[in-house]
Amino acid sequence: QVQLVEPGGGLVQAGDSLSLSCAASGRTSSVYAMAWFRQAPGKDREFVAGITWIGGMAYFADPVKGRFTISRGNAQNTLYLRINSLKPEDTAVYYCAAARISTYTYPQERKTYDSWGQGTQVTVSS
């Protein structure tokens, strides 16, 4: 089992930038890929960005391409999400998730990931 903790988040102004982090512990050697999802009030949880742990191949949801950057820490136990030019519609709870190679099928679907963080609130004011 992999444990994921996401500190950070908070209240920011539209146009600002924000970095989120996610610390992985436990059986991190089993992680094949990690991703960020977000859930806005009244909406389903949606994929935002993902990255393979070996090779660092990154992929993004179309609505966030060009504004979001995903990366891994040097120790490869930390996942980051950099959000530029924040918009009010970016307001959501952001979750990090981890997938093992045995469950890695559709990178943008929730069912691919079997470890989840508790989520961190990001609120963007206009």
Side-chain angles (χ1 to χ4, degrees), residues 33-75:
M34 293 187 71
W36 289 96
F37 285 71
R38 67 183 180 184
Q39 187 165 16
K43 295 187 177 181
D44 291 335
R45 192 174 301 186
E46 63 176 359
F47 171 83
V48 171
I51 188 167
T52 58
W53 225 228
I54 297 176
M57 181 182 298
Y59 38 98
F60 300 89
D62 287 342
V64 305
K65 285 181 180 177
R67 290 197 301 122
F68 286 38
T69 304
I70 189 170
S71 61
R72 304 162 296 160
N74 289 334

mmCIF file of all heavy atoms in Angstrom, residues 33-75:
data_model
loop_
_atom_site.group_PDB
_atom_site.id
_atom_site.type_symbol
_atom_site.label_atom_id
_atom_site.label_comp_id
_atom_site.label_asym_id
_atom_site.label_seq_id
_atom_site.Cartn_x
_atom_site.Cartn_y
_atom_site.Cartn_z
ATOM 1 N N ALA A 33 2.945 4.928 -11.981
ATOM 2 C CA ALA A 33 2.599 6.269 -12.435
ATOM 3 C C ALA A 33 1.821 6.983 -11.337
ATOM 4 O O ALA A 33 1.231 6.350 -10.468
ATOM 5 C CB ALA A 33 1.771 6.218 -13.715
ATOM 6 N N MET A 34 1.842 8.292 -11.402
ATOM 7 C CA MET A 34 1.047 9.102 -10.477
ATOM 8 C C MET A 34 0.314 10.171 -11.250
ATOM 9 O O MET A 34 0.672 10.496 -12.391
ATOM 10 C CB MET A 34 1.929 9.719 -9.395
ATOM 11 C CG MET A 34 2.514 8.678 -8.450
ATOM 12 S SD MET A 34 3.383 9.410 -7.050
ATOM 13 C CE MET A 34 2.033 10.088 -6.097
ATOM 14 N N ALA A 35 -0.699 10.725 -10.622
ATOM 15 C CA ALA A 35 -1.516 11.705 -11.315
ATOM 16 C C ALA A 35 -2.166 12.660 -10.325
ATOM 17 O O ALA A 35 -2.193 12.410 -9.117
ATOM 18 C CB ALA A 35 -2.600 11.001 -12.124
ATOM 19 N N TRP A 36 -2.649 13.743 -10.864
ATOM 20 C CA TRP A 36 -3.478 14.696 -10.124
ATOM 21 C C TRP A 36 -4.880 14.680 -10.715
ATOM 22 O O TRP A 36 -5.048 14.711 -11.944
ATOM 23 C CB TRP A 36 -2.904 16.108 -10.219
ATOM 24 C CG TRP A 36 -1.643 16.306 -9.458
ATOM 25 C CD1 TRP A 36 -0.366 16.235 -9.941
ATOM 26 C CD2 TRP A 36 -1.530 16.626 -8.067
ATOM 27 N NE1 TRP A 36 0.541 16.472 -8.934
ATOM 28 C CE2 TRP A 36 -0.149 16.730 -7.779
ATOM 29 C CE3 TRP A 36 -2.440 16.840 -7.039
ATOM 30 C CZ2 TRP A 36 0.332 17.040 -6.502
ATOM 31 C CZ3 TRP A 36 -1.966 17.141 -5.781
ATOM 32 C CH2 TRP A 36 -0.592 17.237 -5.516
ATOM 33 N N PHE A 37 -5.850 14.650 -9.835
ATOM 34 C CA PHE A 37 -7.248 14.815 -10.186
ATOM 35 C C PHE A 37 -7.769 16.013 -9.401
ATOM 36 O O PHE A 37 -7.157 16.452 -8.431
ATOM 37 C CB PHE A 37 -8.059 13.570 -9.802
ATOM 38 C CG PHE A 37 -7.860 12.385 -10.703
ATOM 39 C CD1 PHE A 37 -6.669 11.666 -10.701
ATOM 40 C CD2 PHE A 37 -8.872 11.978 -11.570
ATOM 41 C CE1 PHE A 37 -6.488 10.573 -11.539
ATOM 42 C CE2 PHE A 37 -8.706 10.877 -12.401
ATOM 43 C CZ PHE A 37 -7.516 10.170 -12.383
ATOM 44 N N ARG A 38 -8.922 16.509 -9.814
ATOM 45 C CA ARG A 38 -9.556 17.566 -9.033
ATOM 46 C C ARG A 38 -11.062 17.383 -9.063
ATOM 47 O O ARG A 38 -11.623 16.802 -9.992
ATOM 48 C CB ARG A 38 -9.180 18.955 -9.557
ATOM 49 C CG ARG A 38 -9.724 19.285 -10.940
ATOM 50 C CD ARG A 38 -9.218 20.653 -11.391
ATOM 51 N NE ARG A 38 -9.721 21.007 -12.715
ATOM 52 C CZ ARG A 38 -9.373 22.104 -13.381
ATOM 53 N NH1 ARG A 38 -8.508 22.965 -12.835
ATOM 54 N NH2 ARG A 38 -9.878 22.348 -14.568
ATOM 55 N N GLN A 39 -11.691 17.900 -8.021
ATOM 56 C CA GLN A 39 -13.143 17.802 -7.919
ATOM 57 C C GLN A 39 -13.698 19.140 -7.462
ATOM 58 O O GLN A 39 -13.443 19.572 -6.322
ATOM 59 C CB GLN A 39 -13.553 16.696 -6.949
ATOM 60 C CG GLN A 39 -15.035 16.414 -6.923
ATOM 61 C CD GLN A 39 -15.362 15.113 -6.244
ATOM 62 O OE1 GLN A 39 -14.543 14.531 -5.525
ATOM 63 N NE2 GLN A 39 -16.565 14.613 -6.460
ATOM 64 N N ALA A 40 -14.430 19.781 -8.351
ATOM 65 C CA ALA A 40 -15.082 21.050 -8.037
ATOM 66 C C ALA A 40 -16.430 20.762 -7.384
ATOM 67 O O ALA A 40 -16.991 19.674 -7.554
ATOM 68 C CB ALA A 40 -15.256 21.858 -9.313
ATOM 69 N N PRO A 41 -16.963 21.716 -6.647
ATOM 70 C CA PRO A 41 -18.256 21.501 -5.985
ATOM 71 C C PRO A 41 -19.340 21.094 -6.970
ATOM 72 O O PRO A 41 -19.523 21.742 -8.009
ATOM 73 C CB PRO A 41 -18.554 22.878 -5.366
ATOM 74 C CG PRO A 41 -17.221 23.496 -5.168
ATOM 75 C CD PRO A 41 -16.386 23.031 -6.324
ATOM 76 N N GLY A 42 -20.025 20.024 -6.660
ATOM 77 C CA GLY A 42 -21.120 19.574 -7.494
ATOM 78 C C GLY A 42 -20.721 18.862 -8.772
ATOM 79 O O GLY A 42 -21.577 18.554 -9.603
ATOM 80 N N LYS A 43 -19.436 18.613 -8.944
ATOM 81 C CA LYS A 43 -18.955 17.968 -10.174
ATOM 82 C C LYS A 43 -18.217 16.678 -9.845
ATOM 83 O O LYS A 43 -17.809 16.438 -8.715
ATOM 84 C CB LYS A 43 -18.047 18.918 -10.950
ATOM 85 C CG LYS A 43 -18.752 20.162 -11.463
ATOM 86 C CD LYS A 43 -17.846 20.969 -12.372
ATOM 87 C CE LYS A 43 -18.572 22.179 -12.935
ATOM 88 N NZ LYS A 43 -17.697 22.965 -13.855
ATOM 89 N N ASP A 44 -18.051 15.865 -10.880
ATOM 90 C CA ASP A 44 -17.293 14.628 -10.709
ATOM 91 C C ASP A 44 -15.802 14.936 -10.596
ATOM 92 O O ASP A 44 -15.326 15.971 -11.061
ATOM 93 C CB ASP A 44 -17.528 13.701 -11.906
ATOM 94 C CG ASP A 44 -18.939 13.155 -11.953
ATOM 95 O OD1 ASP A 44 -19.577 13.078 -10.880
ATOM 96 O OD2 ASP A 44 -19.392 12.811 -13.065
ATOM 97 N N ARG A 45 -15.091 13.988 -10.000
ATOM 98 C CA ARG A 45 -13.631 14.111 -9.939
ATOM 99 C C ARG A 45 -13.077 13.886 -11.342
ATOM 100 O O ARG A 45 -13.422 12.918 -12.010
ATOM 101 C CB ARG A 45 -13.054 13.084 -8.966
ATOM 102 C CG ARG A 45 -11.602 13.298 -8.614
ATOM 103 C CD ARG A 45 -11.140 12.343 -7.534
ATOM 104 N NE ARG A 45 -11.939 12.498 -6.315
ATOM 105 C CZ ARG A 45 -11.660 11.851 -5.175
ATOM 106 N NH1 ARG A 45 -10.628 11.024 -5.107
ATOM 107 N NH2 ARG A 45 -12.428 12.031 -4.117
ATOM 108 N N GLU A 46 -12.204 14.799 -11.777
ATOM 109 C CA GLU A 46 -11.690 14.734 -13.133
ATOM 110 C C GLU A 46 -10.167 14.684 -13.158
ATOM 111 O O GLU A 46 -9.494 15.259 -12.299
ATOM 112 C CB GLU A 46 -12.158 15.955 -13.947
ATOM 113 C CG GLU A 46 -11.652 17.286 -13.437
ATOM 114 C CD GLU A 46 -12.070 18.453 -14.327
ATOM 115 O OE1 GLU A 46 -12.742 18.231 -15.348
ATOM 116 O OE2 GLU A 46 -11.699 19.595 -13.986
ATOM 117 N N PHE A 47 -9.659 14.012 -14.168
ATOM 118 C CA PHE A 47 -8.223 13.920 -14.369
ATOM 119 C C PHE A 47 -7.666 15.281 -14.776
ATOM 120 O O PHE A 47 -8.277 16.017 -15.555
ATOM 121 C CB PHE A 47 -7.931 12.886 -15.451
ATOM 122 C CG PHE A 47 -6.507 12.854 -15.911
ATOM 123 C CD1 PHE A 47 -5.552 12.147 -15.203
ATOM 124 C CD2 PHE A 47 -6.120 13.531 -17.057
ATOM 125 C CE1 PHE A 47 -4.239 12.106 -15.632
ATOM 126 C CE2 PHE A 47 -4.806 13.496 -17.494
ATOM 127 C CZ PHE A 47 -3.861 12.783 -16.775
ATOM 128 N N VAL A 48 -6.480 15.596 -14.252
ATOM 129 C CA VAL A 48 -5.818 16.856 -14.586
ATOM 130 C C VAL A 48 -4.490 16.584 -15.300
ATOM 131 O O VAL A 48 -4.254 17.095 -16.393
ATOM 132 C CB VAL A 48 -5.565 17.678 -13.311
ATOM 133 C CG1 VAL A 48 -4.693 18.889 -13.614
ATOM 134 C CG2 VAL A 48 -6.872 18.117 -12.686
ATOM 135 N N ALA A 49 -3.625 15.802 -14.672
ATOM 136 C CA ALA A 49 -2.302 15.529 -15.241
ATOM 137 C C ALA A 49 -1.741 14.258 -14.635
ATOM 138 O O ALA A 49 -2.073 13.907 -13.506
ATOM 139 C CB ALA A 49 -1.352 16.693 -14.971
ATOM 140 N N GLY A 50 -0.877 13.592 -15.387
ATOM 141 C CA GLY A 50 -0.257 12.373 -14.891
ATOM 142 C C GLY A 50 1.170 12.245 -15.386
ATOM 143 O O GLY A 50 1.580 12.954 -16.316
ATOM 144 N N ILE A 51 1.920 11.370 -14.745
ATOM 145 C CA ILE A 51 3.316 11.177 -15.123
ATOM 146 C C ILE A 51 3.740 9.765 -14.773
ATOM 147 O O ILE A 51 3.355 9.237 -13.718
ATOM 148 C CB ILE A 51 4.223 12.223 -14.425
ATOM 149 C CG1 ILE A 51 5.651 12.174 -14.957
ATOM 150 C CG2 ILE A 51 4.206 12.051 -12.907
ATOM 151 C CD1 ILE A 51 6.487 13.375 -14.528
ATOM 152 N N THR A 52 4.494 9.131 -15.675
ATOM 153 C CA THR A 52 5.029 7.815 -15.349
ATOM 154 C C THR A 52 6.243 7.990 -14.460
ATOM 155 O O THR A 52 7.006 8.947 -14.597
ATOM 156 C CB THR A 52 5.410 7.040 -16.615
ATOM 157 O OG1 THR A 52 6.371 7.800 -17.365
ATOM 158 C CG2 THR A 52 4.186 6.802 -17.485
ATOM 159 N N TRP A 53 6.436 7.073 -13.523
ATOM 160 C CA TRP A 53 7.497 7.222 -12.536
ATOM 161 C C TRP A 53 8.871 6.966 -13.151
ATOM 162 O O TRP A 53 9.844 7.587 -12.773
ATOM 163 C CB TRP A 53 7.232 6.291 -11.373
ATOM 164 C CG TRP A 53 7.412 6.918 -10.030
ATOM 165 C CD1 TRP A 53 8.109 6.403 -8.981
ATOM 166 C CD2 TRP A 53 6.899 8.176 -9.579
ATOM 167 N NE1 TRP A 53 8.066 7.275 -7.919
ATOM 168 C CE2 TRP A 53 7.331 8.362 -8.253
ATOM 169 C CE3 TRP A 53 6.133 9.178 -10.178
ATOM 170 C CZ2 TRP A 53 6.993 9.495 -7.504
ATOM 171 C CZ3 TRP A 53 5.806 10.301 -9.440
ATOM 172 C CH2 TRP A 53 6.243 10.444 -8.129
ATOM 173 N N ILE A 54 8.946 6.034 -14.060
ATOM 174 C CA ILE A 54 10.195 5.787 -14.776
ATOM 175 C C ILE A 54 10.034 6.353 -16.170
ATOM 176 O O ILE A 54 9.087 6.027 -16.869
ATOM 177 C CB ILE A 54 10.515 4.284 -14.835
ATOM 178 C CG1 ILE A 54 10.717 3.746 -13.413
ATOM 179 C CG2 ILE A 54 11.756 4.017 -15.690
ATOM 180 C CD1 ILE A 54 10.940 2.254 -13.350
ATOM 181 N N GLY A 55 10.933 7.204 -16.552
ATOM 182 C CA GLY A 55 10.837 7.833 -17.863
ATOM 183 C C GLY A 55 10.225 9.219 -17.800
ATOM 184 O O GLY A 55 10.520 10.070 -18.630
ATOM 185 N N GLY A 56 9.359 9.444 -16.805
ATOM 186 C CA GLY A 56 8.788 10.771 -16.634
ATOM 187 C C GLY A 56 7.917 11.256 -17.766
ATOM 188 O O GLY A 56 7.860 12.454 -18.042
ATOM 189 N N MET A 57 7.204 10.344 -18.419
ATOM 190 C CA MET A 57 6.308 10.770 -19.491
ATOM 191 C C MET A 57 5.089 11.447 -18.875
ATOM 192 O O MET A 57 4.388 10.862 -18.065
ATOM 193 C CB MET A 57 5.875 9.582 -20.337
ATOM 194 C CG MET A 57 4.961 9.943 -21.490
ATOM 195 S SD MET A 57 4.441 8.494 -22.434
ATOM 196 C CE MET A 57 6.018 7.911 -23.025
ATOM 197 N N ALA A 58 4.851 12.689 -19.278
ATOM 198 C CA ALA A 58 3.757 13.478 -18.717
ATOM 199 C C ALA A 58 2.611 13.604 -19.707
ATOM 200 O O ALA A 58 2.822 13.621 -20.927
ATOM 201 C CB ALA A 58 4.254 14.864 -18.318
ATOM 202 N N TYR A 59 1.407 13.717 -19.194
ATOM 203 C CA TYR A 59 0.225 13.876 -20.033
ATOM 204 C C TYR A 59 -0.793 14.712 -19.263
ATOM 205 O O TYR A 59 -0.826 14.674 -18.039
ATOM 206 C CB TYR A 59 -0.364 12.520 -20.453
ATOM 207 C CG TYR A 59 -0.309 11.471 -19.374
ATOM 208 C CD1 TYR A 59 -1.416 11.207 -18.580
ATOM 209 C CD2 TYR A 59 0.860 10.746 -19.138
ATOM 210 C CE1 TYR A 59 -1.367 10.254 -17.583
ATOM 211 C CE2 TYR A 59 0.925 9.800 -18.132
ATOM 212 C CZ TYR A 59 -0.192 9.553 -17.366
ATOM 213 O OH TYR A 59 -0.137 8.612 -16.361
ATOM 214 N N PHE A 60 -1.591 15.466 -20.013
ATOM 215 C CA PHE A 60 -2.471 16.461 -19.423
ATOM 216 C C PHE A 60 -3.864 16.376 -20.029
ATOM 217 O O PHE A 60 -4.040 16.016 -21.189
ATOM 218 C CB PHE A 60 -1.905 17.870 -19.658
ATOM 219 C CG PHE A 60 -0.548 18.080 -19.058
ATOM 220 C CD1 PHE A 60 0.596 17.787 -19.785
ATOM 221 C CD2 PHE A 60 -0.411 18.555 -17.766
ATOM 222 C CE1 PHE A 60 1.860 17.962 -19.230
ATOM 223 C CE2 PHE A 60 0.842 18.727 -17.197
ATOM 224 C CZ PHE A 60 1.975 18.430 -17.929
ATOM 225 N N ALA A 61 -4.833 16.775 -19.223
ATOM 226 C CA ALA A 61 -6.170 16.954 -19.749
ATOM 227 C C ALA A 61 -6.157 18.176 -20.662
ATOM 228 O O ALA A 61 -5.461 19.160 -20.381
ATOM 229 C CB ALA A 61 -7.167 17.145 -18.613
ATOM 230 N N ASP A 62 -6.927 18.134 -21.725
ATOM 231 C CA ASP A 62 -6.903 19.228 -22.693
ATOM 232 C C ASP A 62 -7.168 20.600 -22.081
ATOM 233 O O ASP A 62 -6.505 21.578 -22.453
ATOM 234 C CB ASP A 62 -7.911 18.940 -23.809
ATOM 235 C CG ASP A 62 -7.442 17.836 -24.749
ATOM 236 O OD1 ASP A 62 -6.227 17.546 -24.755
ATOM 237 O OD2 ASP A 62 -8.290 17.268 -25.464
ATOM 238 N N PRO A 63 -8.111 20.736 -21.149
ATOM 239 C CA PRO A 63 -8.412 22.088 -20.628
ATOM 240 C C PRO A 63 -7.262 22.751 -19.873
ATOM 241 O O PRO A 63 -7.278 23.966 -19.672
ATOM 242 C CB PRO A 63 -9.597 21.843 -19.688
ATOM 243 C CG PRO A 63 -10.225 20.594 -20.178
ATOM 244 C CD PRO A 63 -9.082 19.755 -20.649
ATOM 245 N N VAL A 64 -6.271 21.958 -19.437
ATOM 246 C CA VAL A 64 -5.214 22.555 -18.620
ATOM 247 C C VAL A 64 -3.870 22.589 -19.335
ATOM 248 O O VAL A 64 -2.891 23.101 -18.786
ATOM 249 C CB VAL A 64 -5.051 21.801 -17.278
ATOM 250 C CG1 VAL A 64 -6.375 21.744 -16.551
ATOM 251 C CG2 VAL A 64 -4.477 20.408 -17.474
ATOM 252 N N LYS A 65 -3.815 22.095 -20.534
ATOM 253 C CA LYS A 65 -2.556 22.104 -21.282
ATOM 254 C C LYS A 65 -2.044 23.528 -21.449
ATOM 255 O O LYS A 65 -2.781 24.431 -21.781
ATOM 256 C CB LYS A 65 -2.749 21.455 -22.651
ATOM 257 C CG LYS A 65 -2.846 19.944 -22.602
ATOM 258 C CD LYS A 65 -3.025 19.358 -23.996
ATOM 259 C CE LYS A 65 -3.115 17.839 -23.938
ATOM 260 N NZ LYS A 65 -3.353 17.238 -25.270
ATOM 261 N N GLY A 66 -0.772 23.680 -21.188
ATOM 262 C CA GLY A 66 -0.145 24.984 -21.308
ATOM 263 C C GLY A 66 -0.111 25.770 -20.010
ATOM 264 O O GLY A 66 0.726 26.658 -19.843
ATOM 265 N N ARG A 67 -0.991 25.445 -19.055
ATOM 266 C CA ARG A 67 -0.990 26.151 -17.764
ATOM 267 C C ARG A 67 -0.504 25.278 -16.614
ATOM 268 O O ARG A 67 -0.020 25.794 -15.603
ATOM 269 C CB ARG A 67 -2.398 26.656 -17.417
ATOM 270 C CG ARG A 67 -2.913 27.786 -18.255
ATOM 271 C CD ARG A 67 -4.081 28.472 -17.581
ATOM 272 N NE ARG A 67 -5.179 27.543 -17.325
ATOM 273 C CZ ARG A 67 -5.682 27.305 -16.114
ATOM 274 N NH1 ARG A 67 -5.195 27.931 -15.058
ATOM 275 N NH2 ARG A 67 -6.692 26.476 -15.975
ATOM 276 N N PHE A 68 -0.654 23.969 -16.760
ATOM 277 C CA PHE A 68 -0.289 23.048 -15.694
ATOM 278 C C PHE A 68 0.994 22.314 -16.058
ATOM 279 O O PHE A 68 1.193 21.938 -17.205
ATOM 280 C CB PHE A 68 -1.388 22.011 -15.458
ATOM 281 C CG PHE A 68 -2.610 22.539 -14.746
ATOM 282 C CD1 PHE A 68 -3.098 23.811 -15.003
ATOM 283 C CD2 PHE A 68 -3.270 21.746 -13.833
ATOM 284 C CE1 PHE A 68 -4.230 24.279 -14.349
ATOM 285 C CE2 PHE A 68 -4.409 22.202 -13.179
ATOM 286 C CZ PHE A 68 -4.890 23.474 -13.433
ATOM 287 N N THR A 69 1.837 22.101 -15.053
ATOM 288 C CA THR A 69 3.050 21.320 -15.222
ATOM 289 C C THR A 69 3.110 20.274 -14.116
ATOM 290 O O THR A 69 2.902 20.599 -12.947
ATOM 291 C CB THR A 69 4.307 22.211 -15.144
ATOM 292 O OG1 THR A 69 4.220 23.248 -16.117
ATOM 293 C CG2 THR A 69 5.563 21.393 -15.391
ATOM 294 N N ILE A 70 3.415 19.049 -14.480
ATOM 295 C CA ILE A 70 3.549 17.985 -13.493
ATOM 296 C C ILE A 70 4.992 17.514 -13.497
ATOM 297 O O ILE A 70 5.638 17.444 -14.540
ATOM 298 C CB ILE A 70 2.565 16.825 -13.789
ATOM 299 C CG1 ILE A 70 2.553 15.817 -12.639
ATOM 300 C CG2 ILE A 70 2.896 16.153 -15.116
ATOM 301 C CD1 ILE A 70 1.435 14.771 -12.763
ATOM 302 N N SER A 71 5.511 17.193 -12.318
ATOM 303 C CA SER A 71 6.897 16.738 -12.228
ATOM 304 C C SER A 71 7.077 15.859 -11.008
ATOM 305 O O SER A 71 6.223 15.811 -10.112
ATOM 306 C CB SER A 71 7.859 17.932 -12.174
ATOM 307 O OG SER A 71 7.594 18.725 -11.034
ATOM 308 N N ARG A 72 8.228 15.153 -10.993
ATOM 309 C CA ARG A 72 8.591 14.315 -9.854
ATOM 310 C C ARG A 72 9.794 14.931 -9.142
ATOM 311 O O ARG A 72 10.632 15.574 -9.754
ATOM 312 C CB ARG A 72 9.013 12.921 -10.322
ATOM 313 C CG ARG A 72 7.997 12.191 -11.150
ATOM 314 C CD ARG A 72 8.683 11.065 -11.897
ATOM 315 N NE ARG A 72 9.668 11.605 -12.843
ATOM 316 C CZ ARG A 72 10.649 10.908 -13.348
ATOM 317 N NH1 ARG A 72 10.833 9.652 -12.989
ATOM 318 N NH2 ARG A 72 11.483 11.446 -14.210
ATOM 319 N N GLY A 73 9.887 14.682 -7.834
ATOM 320 C CA GLY A 73 11.052 15.123 -7.094
ATOM 321 C C GLY A 73 12.243 14.226 -7.384
ATOM 322 O O GLY A 73 12.094 13.130 -7.911
ATOM 323 N N ASN A 74 13.418 14.692 -7.025
ATOM 324 C CA ASN A 74 14.639 13.927 -7.281
ATOM 325 C C ASN A 74 14.606 12.568 -6.606
ATOM 326 O O ASN A 74 15.113 11.583 -7.137
ATOM 327 C CB ASN A 74 15.865 14.710 -6.812
ATOM 328 C CG ASN A 74 16.150 15.902 -7.701
ATOM 329 O OD1 ASN A 74 15.779 15.901 -8.868
ATOM 330 N ND2 ASN A 74 16.787 16.912 -7.154
ATOM 331 N N ALA A 75 14.021 12.505 -5.440
ATOM 332 C CA ALA A 75 13.926 11.235 -4.722
ATOM 333 C C ALA A 75 12.819 10.360 -5.290
ATOM 334 O O ALA A 75 12.668 9.218 -4.884
ATOM 335 C CB ALA A 75 13.668 11.484 -3.241
#
